[in-house]
Amino acid sequence: MILLALIVSLLGLSAWAGDAPKATLDQCLPVAEQVQTQQDADLLETCSEFFWHHQQHDRPGGSYNLMLKLEYRLMELEPQEVFRWSSTAWVLWSKWVVWRKDPQAVPAGFDGEGKDAESIALLKKGRRFHETNFLYHWHAGLVTYPLARFHHPDFFPFVIESFQLADQYTQDTEIKIRARLFIAYSYKHMGKTAEATDWFHRVIDLDP
């Protein structure tokens, strides 16, 4: 839980973590129902935050389905926005974790099955808009590391690739050090001692 809290903090999910936006269900429900016709990014974002704070209006409650619809539309309209891709991926795989714990207990319509893979596919799709943006790759690695570490080790290669891209494209030494540490620990959890040792040495190269 401490690691997850740290990563959420590093991801900068401030828009969802703050006070509830000044919007209403009557205003936002039609926006969600006709999402593909919406062009107003500000309205979409306001209503996305509304449904984050008022999950009781979702279908079913607590499923984030309405918020996710709006976030996907926002990514179509503003693909260059870095944090939306990683924060949406986090919501997707969190849904999968909830579903995985007890598939029979979740209500009909919750739709958590397969959201783990969908989160990875989403981040891969976003790469083409952010090929050389270290911040995108850094956040993609941060948001998927807990998924690989605690739930789905098959995703470690994606995590490693994301942090390698962050290391490649950033000039920030602190980011390079942290990215290389995440790579080293990822290899360690995969049981690849030689690769882990190599990346720990690369950390030392920057911070002896």
Side-chain angles (χ1 to χ4, degrees):
M1 291 301 294
I2 294 174
L3 175 61
L4 183 57
L6 172 62
I7 288 174
V8 169
S9 174
L10 288 170
L11 281 168
L13 303 180
S14 55
W16 292 347
D19 295 334
K22 298 185 185 307
T24 66
L25 181 63
D26 288 342
Q27 178 188 15
C28 289
L29 192 56
V31 173
E33 290 174 343
Q34 302 174 27
V35 67
Q36 288 304 317
T37 67
Q38 302 297 326
Q39 299 293 329
D40 186 338
D42 290 339
L43 177 60
L44 285 163
E45 187 163 359
T46 296
C47 288
S48 176
E49 293 176 31
F50 173 83
F51 287 119
W52 170 261
H53 288 281
H54 298 88
Q55 299 168 30
Q56 72 274 19
H57 298 308
D58 223 313
R59 305 169 181 173
S63 66
Y64 302 109
N65 286 342
L66 292 173
M67 187 197 75
L68 285 168
K69 284 176 64 175
L70 300 177
E71 289 297 310
Y72 269 99
R73 179 59 178 158
L74 279 162
M75 283 183 281
E76 292 175 357
L77 295 175
E78 299 180 337
Q80 71 281 0
E81 210 286 323
V82 170
F83 302 111
R84 181 159 287 118
W85 295 91
S86 53
S87 57
T88 302
W90 172 69
V91 173
L92 287 170
W93 74 251
S94 297
K95 286 187 64 170
W96 174 79
V97 170
V98 171
W99 170 84
R100 179 173 179 255
K101 287 181 178 178
D102 190 354
Q104 302 304 316
V106 298
F110 184 81
D111 190 27
E113 185 177 6
K115 296 301 179 184
D116 53 333
E118 187 176 334
S119 69
I120 301 295
L122 179 70
L123 291 169
K124 287 182 177 179
K125 179 181 178 180
R127 277 182 178 174
R128 70 174 185 262
F129 302 105
H130 302 276
E131 291 181 4
T132 61
N133 187 335
F134 82 89
L135 199 57
Y136 180 87
H137 304 301
W138 168 245
H139 282 269
L142 280 179
V143 81
T144 51
Y145 181 85
L147 174 61
R149 173 69 180 87
F150 299 110
H151 304 286
H152 213 316
D154 289 348
F155 291 146
F156 267 127
F158 174 83
V159 173
I160 290 170
E161 187 176 42
S162 295
F163 283 126
Q164 286 175 333
L165 288 167
D167 177 51
Q168 176 181 346
Y169 290 117
T170 188
Q171 300 300 314
D172 187 318
T173 301
E174 185 64 27
I175 294 291
K176 282 183 173 291
I177 291 171
R178 293 186 181 186
R180 293 180 185 190
L181 280 171
F182 272 113
I183 294 167
Y185 281 117
S186 295
Y187 276 125
K188 182 180 178 182
H189 293 308
M190 293 173 73
K192 296 188 175 184
T193 304
E195 290 88 345
T197 301
D198 175 58
W199 280 95
F200 279 126
H201 282 305
R202 297 190 195 196
V203 173
I204 295 172
D205 289 342
L206 293 176
D207 187 20

